[in-house]
């Protein structure tokens, strides 16, 4: 089963965030804030490179250039960089107009520096294309057009108005050699910027596609679960009457003691199962009511997992369940959200079915609390997964002859809804292990209106 990280599940906020990062043409966009951060890093690199270039040309070549005027322009860019870093640390949202303003400052300062150093004849004039490339990946069409018009206007002005570079003392050939060197440096800078930026863009695009795929899969799964829940509500209402009739008849059919002990035992087991079915129906109604009211029962972790194993033993009396719980975790108070108990029972039921394939009745349930998460592990002694990276069960499709194909899907949906994750792997020594991890802070009871800090609880030891 592929690991499902679920910070949002089918949260519409994730969908809105994904939509906000796509432009009108459907391509993935980094967004104004990511663009502002990228510009800040590039601006810092530009300030360093421009300062070194000015000092090198002025004192090492040497060439009579307006050093102080050039350094003043770089100083303005440095002040703007400091202001930008302080602003980005505030965490306020960055609008597209503000991002365009950042690009405008960079373009104008670059145009000023090019005006003092040869205008359009300066080999670094092609750096005016970099802001357009950045804008194309982060802004709307209107924003891209604005940046392109500004860069094009600066380039056009530099064709007509600029201060030519003074000739070098060694003659025209030396001037051309310096121009070629500048073109080579400019090519290296452009190649580096485009390579790094395109690699980052491709990685972000792949990540966004994976998030959208997970979102689509969860939406399909949740639609199926919702359809089944709707049908289950109607079925639960209809089943209440025949179950009450069966319960009454079974209790009347149970013979007196010592008359027919085998039949008496079977009928008592049937009556217990009917009572359990009625109890499950009542629990369904209670879970739905708790979900609507937002109420959660608070229990010790030990009491909760023992209740889960007790309920599981009623469903599967043949199971040999091994409960593993550290003494320091047993008294940890946790809020039990709706559906968590059913998720663990579903995982235990699947584990017992897997163990039965090799003639075993052993399953294990462990619970461990850590600094950030509460982890449940369900272990079976079956054949394990042929390919642990693929889900052995999906909604409506079961690998068992008598299965409904909803156990793991419901457990995974519960993990997503609670902000956790569910994954599986083959266990050392045979069998498989399912891990259900939930954020501990969301499960701790409140004290004075505030959750208990997770640091109050121990860090789990690393286990294989």
């Amino acid at each position: 089963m592929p690991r499902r990280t679920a910070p949002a599940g089918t949260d519409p906020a994730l969908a809105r965030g994904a939509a906000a990062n796509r432009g009108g043409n459907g391509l993935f966009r980094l967004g104004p804030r990511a663009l502002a951060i990228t510009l800040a890093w590039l601006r810092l690199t530009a300030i360093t490179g421009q300062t070194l270039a000015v000092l090198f040309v002025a004192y090492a070549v040497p060439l009579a250039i307006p050093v102080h005027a050039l350094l003043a322009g770089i100083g303005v860019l440095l002040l703007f960089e400091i202001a930008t870093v302080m602003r980005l640390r505030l965490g306020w949202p960055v609008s597209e107009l503000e991002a365009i303003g950042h690009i405008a400052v960079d373009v104008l300062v670059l145009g000023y520096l090019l005006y003092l150093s040869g205008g359009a004849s300066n080999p670094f004039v092609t750096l005016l294309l970099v802001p357009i490339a950045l804008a194309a990946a982060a802004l709307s069409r209107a924003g891209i057009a604005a940046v392109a018009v500004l860069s094009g206007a600066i380039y056009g002005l530099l064709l007509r108005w600029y201060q030519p570079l003074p000739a070098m003392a060694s003659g025209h050939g030396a001037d051309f050699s310096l121009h070629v060197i500048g073109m080579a440096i400019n090519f290296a800078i452009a190649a580096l910027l485009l390579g790094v930026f395109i690699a980052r863009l491709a990685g972000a695009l792949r990540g966004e596609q994976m998030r959208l795929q997970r979102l689509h899969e969860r939406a399909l799964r949740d639609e199926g679960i919702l359809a089944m829940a709707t049908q289950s509500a109607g079925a639960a209402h209809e089943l209440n009457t025949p179950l009450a009739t069966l319960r009454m008849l079974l209790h009347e059919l149970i013979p007196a003691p010592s008359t027919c002990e085998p039949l008496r035992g079977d009928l008592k087991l049937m009556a217990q199962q009917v009572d359990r079915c009625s109890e499950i129906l009542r629990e369904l109604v209670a879970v739905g009511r708790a979900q609507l009211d937002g109420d959660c029962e608070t229990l010790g972790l030990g009491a909760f997992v023992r209740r889960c194993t007790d309920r599981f033993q009623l469903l599967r009396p043949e199971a040999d369940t091994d409960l593993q719980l550290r003494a320091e975790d047993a008294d940890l108070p946790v809020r039990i959200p709706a559906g968590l108990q059913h998720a663990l029972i579903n995982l235990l039921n699947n584990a017992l079915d897997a163990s039965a394939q090799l003639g075993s009745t052993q399953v294990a349930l462990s619970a461990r609390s850590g600094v950030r998460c509460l982890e449940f592990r369900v272990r079976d002694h079956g054949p394990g997964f042929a390919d642990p990276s693929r889900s052995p069960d999906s909604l409506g499709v079961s690998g068992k002859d008598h299965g409904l194909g909803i156990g793991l899907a419901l457990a995974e949906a519960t993990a997503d809804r609670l902000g956790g994750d569910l994954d599986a792997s083959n266990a050392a020594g045979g069998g498989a292990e399912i891990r259900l991890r939930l954020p501990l802070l969301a499960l701790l009871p409140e004290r004075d209106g505030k959750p208990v800090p997770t640091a109050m609880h121990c860090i789990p030891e690393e286990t294989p």
Side-chain angles (χ1 to χ4, degrees), residues 33-58:
R33 181 172 182 84
L35 174 60
I37 294 174
T38 302
L39 287 172
W41 283 106
L42 294 178
R43 191 179 301 117
L44 183 62
T45 304
I47 291 171
T48 304
Q50 290 165 356
T51 302
L52 293 177
V54 169
L55 296 178
F56 175 79
V57 171

Side-chain angles (χ1 to χ4, degrees), residues 318-322 351-352 355-356 359-364 379-382:
E318 74 277 15
D320 181 10
T321 307
D322 178 22
L352 182 58
S355 296
S360 174
T361 59
Q362 294 184 343
V363 294
R379 164 79 183 275
D380 65 57
H381 294 270

Side-chain angles (χ1 to χ4, degrees), residues 67-136:
V67 177
H68 298 293
L70 290 169
L71 293 179
I74 298 173
V76 170
L77 196 61
L78 177 60
L79 293 177
F80 181 73
E81 171 71 2
I82 295 173
T84 299
V85 171
M86 295 175 62
R87 181 258 176 274
L88 291 176
R89 286 185 175 179
L90 297 177
W92 295 342
V94 178
S95 65
E96 182 171 294
L97 186 61
E98 180 181 348
I100 294 175
H102 289 199
I103 294 178
V105 172
D106 292 331
V107 171
L108 291 173
V109 172
L110 178 60
Y112 168 77
L113 297 178
L114 292 172
Y115 167 78
L116 296 175
S117 55
S121 62
N122 191 312
F124 293 103
V125 73
T126 54
L127 290 178
L128 289 171
L129 294 174
V130 174
I132 301 176
L134 295 173

Side-chain angles (χ1 to χ4, degrees), residues 241-263:
T241 299
L243 284 175
T245 303
L246 284 173
R247 184 171 58 250
M248 180 183 65
L249 292 175
L250 284 171
H251 284 291
E252 291 179 355
L253 289 173
I254 295 176
S258 72
T259 57
C260 186
E261 286 301 325
L263 177 60

